Amino acid sequence: VTTQLGDIVIKGTDNMDEINAAMVSGTYIDGSARIVSANNNLDLTLSPKFKGNVTLESMNGKIYVRNFQGKKLTVKANNGTISIYNSITDSLVIKTSNGKVDCENVVSDHLKINAANGTISFDNALVRNGNLDSKNGSININRIASSEFLALMNDNGDIKGYDTAAKSYLVSTKEGDIDLARTTFDEARFESINGDIDLSIVKCGNKKKIQSLCGVTNIVYVKSNYNIRR
């Protein structure tokens, strides 16, 4: 499928096990693709020539995206896992009602992930502004860096990370623990209502607020090995 300016809509039927959307790899310039699935999986692999926008929607199926290099990628799933690998985009928006989100090797200026019931896992990413929100599920991040703002929020679940960095952090959970090892930031706010907060800080600025109303707070400054426990 090739287009210069138009949009493309691809819809799957109920008797298909999977939609292989590798065909959407022509010389997209300003076009967009909207791929809709009712009860089958979506598997999308794009060539480096792709420069358009893609919207993927699945009611009851998994969504896989690999090698996306476009302006905007929007992925929505009602019941199913969303997996994004090796992708570069100006904007990445992911929303799922019942399913986990798994991302690896992603670069994006604007990242927004909303999971109502599911774990969010992010490994090896570079973002400018990021917002990861899980209502009922944990958030796990490794080797992620944000040049401006990174928000990690959930209601019922732990927030864990290793080797993370952000100019500005907001990390908040109501019923879970916060555990960030080897983190770097200029300013930050870490808050948990009924969970513990464990931070291993490589480098930080003076503007930080760390508060656990009903849990234990443990902070380790890696260079000085200085411990604070409340």
Side-chain angles (χ1 to χ4, degrees):
V1 178
T2 302
T3 182
Q4 291 291 327
L5 298 173
D7 297 340
I8 292 176
V9 177
I10 300 175
K11 293 185 178 182
T13 60
D14 291 345
N15 61 355
M16 296 176 64
D17 293 330
E18 183 172 278
I19 297 175
N20 189 329
M23 69 187 92
V24 189
S25 59
T27 56
Y28 262 60
I29 303 300
D30 295 317
S32 298
R34 182 169 178 261
I35 304 172
V36 183
S37 168
N39 294 297
N40 41 272
N41 297 333
L42 290 173
D43 193 332
L44 178 68
T45 302
L46 295 172
S47 76
K49 294 181 180 179
F50 184 88
K51 299 300 179 183
N53 304 325
V54 166
T55 299
L56 303 176
E57 300 178 18
S58 176
M59 290 297 295
N60 295 291
K62 299 178 181 179
I63 298 179
Y64 305 93
V65 179
R66 293 177 291 274
N67 303 326
F68 178 85
Q69 296 187 41
K71 294 179 181 178
K72 183 176 182 179
L73 175 61
T74 303
V75 185
K76 301 177 182 179
N78 189 43
N79 294 294
T81 299
I82 297 175
S83 301
I84 313 291
Y85 302 116
N86 303 323
S87 296
I88 302 174
T89 176
D90 294 341
S91 176
L92 174 58
V93 178
I94 300 173
K95 185 176 182 179
T96 177
S97 297
N98 296 288
K100 66 179 181 178
V101 177
D102 186 15
C103 298
E104 185 175 348
N105 298 328
V106 172
V107 177
S108 181
D109 283 343
H110 302 282
L111 170 68
K112 185 176 182 180
I113 300 178
N114 187 293
N117 296 289
T119 299
I120 298 175
S121 298
F122 229 95
D123 190 8
N124 195 23
L126 179 63
V127 301
R128 184 157 61 95
N129 290 297
N131 188 315
L132 282 64
D133 189 343
S134 177
K135 299 300 181 185
N136 294 290
S138 61
I139 297 176
N140 302 303
I141 59 173
N142 295 289
R143 294 178 295 277
I144 182 171
S146 170
S147 60
E148 291 188 8
F149 178 73
L150 181 63
L152 309 172
M153 298 179 292
N154 68 16
D155 290 341
N156 297 291
D158 297 334
I159 299 175
K160 297 182 179 181
Y162 178 81
D163 197 12
T164 62
K167 183 177 181 180
S168 179
Y169 259 133
L170 169 60
V171 183
S172 176
T173 177
K174 292 181 180 179
E175 302 295 335
D177 297 333
I178 296 174
D179 186 359
L180 297 181
R182 297 193 60 80
T183 187
T184 301
F185 55 87
D186 288 343
E187 58 182 78
R189 188 167 86 234
F190 304 93
E191 54 190 22
S192 177
I193 296 178
N194 292 305
D196 298 338
I197 298 178
D198 286 280
L199 301 175
S200 171
I201 300 174
V202 176
K203 183 180 179 181
C204 68
N206 294 324
K207 295 182 178 180
K208 58 181 180 292
K209 181 179 180 181
I210 304 169
Q211 183 178 22
S212 177
L213 296 180
C214 299
V216 174
T217 299
N218 184 46
I219 306 171
V220 176
Y221 293 91
V222 176
K223 291 185 178 180
S224 62
N225 292 323
Y226 179 61
N227 290 269
I228 302 174
R229 182 177 288 275
R230 191 188 69 182

